[in-house]
């Protein structure tokens, strides 16, 4: 993956120095509030290796987000093919993110996600990018709205990977953004 630069961030593949942060964001109670699991260090290392392999293979994925001025990794933002949504065709591209809490509310996710939307629509040539989150995850749905994504209540779903013992985490809302709507939004912003 060729790193993507934004005003304040570098979006890049994972490096060995990121392991501590990756474990922290996958085990922190606030970050993982809407997930039914927390990853121990071994599981976090394995997931980071998986992310790194996907990025190496595909040229994109849930990539490390680094503050350009300090070199500090703050979490991840990126694109990934999803197979979690029963109503979507295979190969659908989702945009997702996870940051350490001290970086919330600073616009980093929106800034990085805008760059990834451009990559998805312009470089990958996809016609649509989706995002989804637990229905009560208002922080993530607020980002989706800021990105110009539209809710699609008819496509909301019960996530098949969420165990029945976590009923409050099963229902997910789906947001969509078409390339045409993204282009219109870009033109309007000029």
């Amino acid at each position: 993956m060729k790193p993507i630069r934004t005003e304040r961030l570098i979006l890049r593949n994972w490096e060995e120095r990121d392991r501590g942060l990756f474990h922290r964001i996958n085990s922190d109670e606030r970050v993982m509030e809407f997930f039914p699991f927390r990853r121990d260090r071994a599981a976090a290392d394995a997931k980071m290796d998986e992310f790194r392999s996907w990025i190496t293979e595909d040229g994109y994925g849930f990539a490390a987000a680094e503050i350009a001025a300090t070199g500090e990794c703050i979490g991840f933002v990126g694109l990934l093919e999803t197979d979690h949504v029963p109503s979507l065709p295979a190969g659908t591209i989702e945009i997702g993110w996870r940051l350490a809490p001290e970086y919330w509310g600073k616009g980093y996710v929106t800034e990085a996600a805008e760059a990834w939307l451009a990559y998805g629509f312009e470089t990958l040539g996809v016609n649509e990018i989706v995002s989804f989150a637990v229905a009560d995850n208002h922080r993530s749905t607020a980002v989706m709205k800021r990105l110009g994504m539209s809710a699609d209540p008819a496509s909301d779903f019960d996530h098949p990977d969420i165990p029945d013992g976590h009923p409050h985490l099963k229902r997910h809302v789906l947001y969509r953004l078409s390339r045409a709507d993204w282009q219109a939004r870009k033109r309007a912003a000029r």
Side-chain angles (χ1 to χ4, degrees), residues 21-164:
L21 179 277
F22 193 85
H23 173 245
R24 187 161 67 88
I25 64 172
N26 282 279
S27 61
D28 183 280
E29 290 299 320
R30 292 169 295 168
V31 176
M32 300 300 284
E33 175 183 1
F34 297 103
F35 292 84
F37 59 86
R38 308 296 177 264
R39 288 191 174 99
D40 63 20
R41 182 60 186 254
D45 283 350
K47 182 54 78 173
M48 191 183 103
D49 291 341
E50 187 177 24
F51 281 6
R52 186 164 44 185
S53 292
W54 291 341
I55 292 167
T56 299
E57 185 176 312
D58 299 332
Y60 65 93
F62 285 161
E66 171 185 304
I67 296 176
T70 64
E72 184 176 10
C73 183
I74 62 174
F76 68 77
V77 183
L79 301 176
L80 198 63
E81 282 190 22
T82 185
D83 59 1
H84 296 303
V85 184
S87 62
L88 295 177
T92 297
I93 300 291
E94 75 166 290
I95 189 164
W97 47 81
R98 192 172 304 158
L99 294 189
E102 62 269 28
Y103 302 105
W104 294 355
K106 300 180 186 314
Y108 290 127
V109 167
T110 302
E111 180 178 328
E114 290 283 5
W116 277 113
L117 289 173
Y119 183 88
F121 291 128
E122 294 174 351
T123 303
L124 298 179
V126 300
N127 289 318
E128 180 180 65
I129 295 174
V130 302
S131 193
F132 49 88
V134 170
D136 289 336
N137 187 344
H138 303 297
R139 286 187 308 269
S140 281
T141 56
V143 172
M144 295 172 201
K145 291 172 188 173
R146 276 195 299 279
L147 295 172
M149 302 184 95
S150 298
D152 181 5
S155 295
D156 291 353
F157 64 101
D158 287 343
H159 200 297
D161 294 341
I162 304 296
D164 290 338

